[in-house]
Amino acid sequence: LYRKAVNPPSSTFLLLGPSGSGKTAFLTLLESASSRRSNTAPRTHTSQNATSTTVTLPPSVPIASNQYRSVNDPSLSETKRNPVKYIVKDTPGHGKLRSSQLSQLEAILSSKKEKSPISGVIFFVDAASLSDAAEGLRDCATYLHDVLLLLQKLVFSNQKHVSQAASSVSVLVAANKQDLFTALPAGSIKERLEHEIERIRKSRQKGLMDASAGAASNEDEYEVLGTNGEEDFSFQLLEDEVGTQVSVVGGAVVSEEDTEAGAAIRGWEEWIGARL
Ligand code: GTP
Ligand code: MG
């Protein structure tokens, strides 16, 4: 009865984030773990272009769509379960290439023919580079702000299929490099990003006001992340106003004392599994 069906991957996760944050390292780790599970060799990349790869989730990570079955069906042991496949798309983080990542994300979410819709954006952050004084924080928050604002714009699109596609995207901020002792924990990464995004949002709001001589129109409302309210920006506000979920989870792609391989990316894989 057990079929070794080759389920085609149905979900895509897009890796975004500044240069050097660990996107390619993460994909390489997923690939080598996946190929260990299926005995194929991993490939290597350079990040000049976006690359898509199909990887599998470790069987021990629960997935949303068969959580019920896996708990209740004793015939499906962990090793017998089909490895669940998903697509990961790596992108270059260099500042000059970001607008093209954004327009590609917009194109995918606007396409009617897309076979593997985007279930999530994994936004990588080098948690050791976001101290207050660092230019890194500003740069990183600006990129994240622009990604979230694009998603918001698409959620509020009056084309139904676009709005639906964008509404099903959630965002994981992967606070990477937790192995470094200078790395900030996920909680302070979250606070700093929210605070910095609030500053970006304020100056944007002011710019729009100036441009329209004080009379903010309805359209402008959607031009401000989390919409044009009084409240300070937080990821919770974005979820309440727009519906887009943002979670910040710490981890490490490279860990020096690698006790259990992959243990440091478990939180991210669980987030992925919850969306498969
Ligand atoms: P671009 O392709 O330029 O956008 O960068 P990227 O996000 O793909 O970064 P990449 O994966 O190339 O990683 C940059 C550097 O960070 C590499 O030297 C990695 O080995 C290192 N790195 C990635 N993850 C970790 C981590 O968890 N801890 C530590 N210490 N180093 C890491
Ligand atoms: Mg890269």
Side-chain angles (χ1 to χ4, degrees):
L1 198 89
Y2 175 70
R3 287 170 300 146
K4 200 167 185 228
V6 187
N7 302 326
S10 57
S11 303
T12 299
F13 293 85
L14 182 64
L15 304 184
L16 297 174
S19 193
S21 54
K23 300 176 295 297
T24 305
F26 178 59
L27 182 56
T28 306
L29 179 65
L30 291 181
E31 279 186 312
S32 63
S34 299
S35 57
R36 254 185 279 114
R37 284 191 284 274
S38 62
N39 298 317
T40 53
R43 295 173 305 148
T44 53
H45 306 287
T46 50
S47 306
Q48 306 279 336
N49 301 302
T51 49
S52 284
T53 314
T54 300
V55 295
T56 59
L57 204 66
S60 58
V61 175
I63 62 167
S65 47
N66 81 349
Q67 219 163 25
Y68 191 74
R69 182 185 69 172
S70 60
V71 173
N72 291 286
D73 187 347
S75 69
L76 279 175
S77 71
E78 279 195 357
T79 44
K80 252 172 129 188
R81 241 181 281 155
N82 278 340
V84 182
K85 288 184 187 167
Y86 60 99
I87 298 168
V88 179
K89 193 168 183 183
D90 184 23
T91 63
H94 192 279
K96 288 193 171 136
L97 301 170
R98 283 180 198 168
S99 60
S100 99
Q101 308 317 325
L102 292 174
S103 38
Q104 275 182 39
L105 176 60
E106 178 163 11
I108 295 171
L109 292 174
S110 307
S111 156
K112 274 189 169 156
K113 292 188 276 263
E114 195 56 42
K115 283 190 293 289
S116 52
I118 294 185
S119 306
V121 166
I122 307 181
F123 189 92
F124 265 79
V125 168
D126 176 345
S129 75
L130 297 192
S131 53
D132 272 332
E135 167 70 15
L137 176 59
R138 182 103 239 227
D139 177 62
C140 180
T142 304
Y143 191 8
L144 181 59
H145 168 273
D146 293 353
V147 171
L148 296 175
L149 188 62
L150 172 64
L151 286 174
Q152 170 176 312
K153 188 183 109 186
L154 299 176
V155 166
F156 291 138
S157 162
N158 34 26
Q159 285 177 279
K160 202 166 166 231
H161 75 278
V162 177
S163 168
Q164 264 173 359
S167 299
S168 61
V169 178
S170 31
V171 178
L172 171 67
V173 175
N176 190 28
K177 308 201 185 182
Q178 292 296 326
D179 59 303
L180 302 175
F181 88 103
T182 47
L184 296 168
S188 30
I189 294 287
K190 175 171 179 283
E191 268 172 31
R192 278 167 207 230
L193 285 174
E194 287 179 333
H195 185 249
E196 196 62 32
I197 287 176
E198 171 60 18
R199 290 176 42 174
I200 295 164
R201 187 173 168 255
K202 272 268 152 59
S203 66
R204 205 191 154 91
Q205 219 163 2
K206 190 172 176 301
L208 287 171
M209 292 266 264
D210 292 350
S212 60
S217 72
N218 227 355
E219 213 155 89
D220 289 345
E221 167 104 1
Y222 299 142
E223 297 284 319
V224 176
L225 189 62
T227 69
N228 219 342
E230 304 273 283
E231 238 177 290
D232 276 2
F233 180 80
S234 65
F235 295 132
Q236 187 60 51
L237 174 76
L238 188 70
E239 186 174 343
D240 296 343
E241 296 286 325
V242 185
T244 304
Q245 268 183 35
V246 182
S247 326
V248 185
V249 179
V253 175
V254 183
S255 42
E256 291 210 336
E257 291 143 63
D258 209 346
T259 40
E260 191 196 326
I265 61 163
R266 177 82 188 194
W268 304 335
E269 289 190 317
E270 285 172 354
W271 182 91
I272 291 169
R275 282 154 186 87
L276 289 176

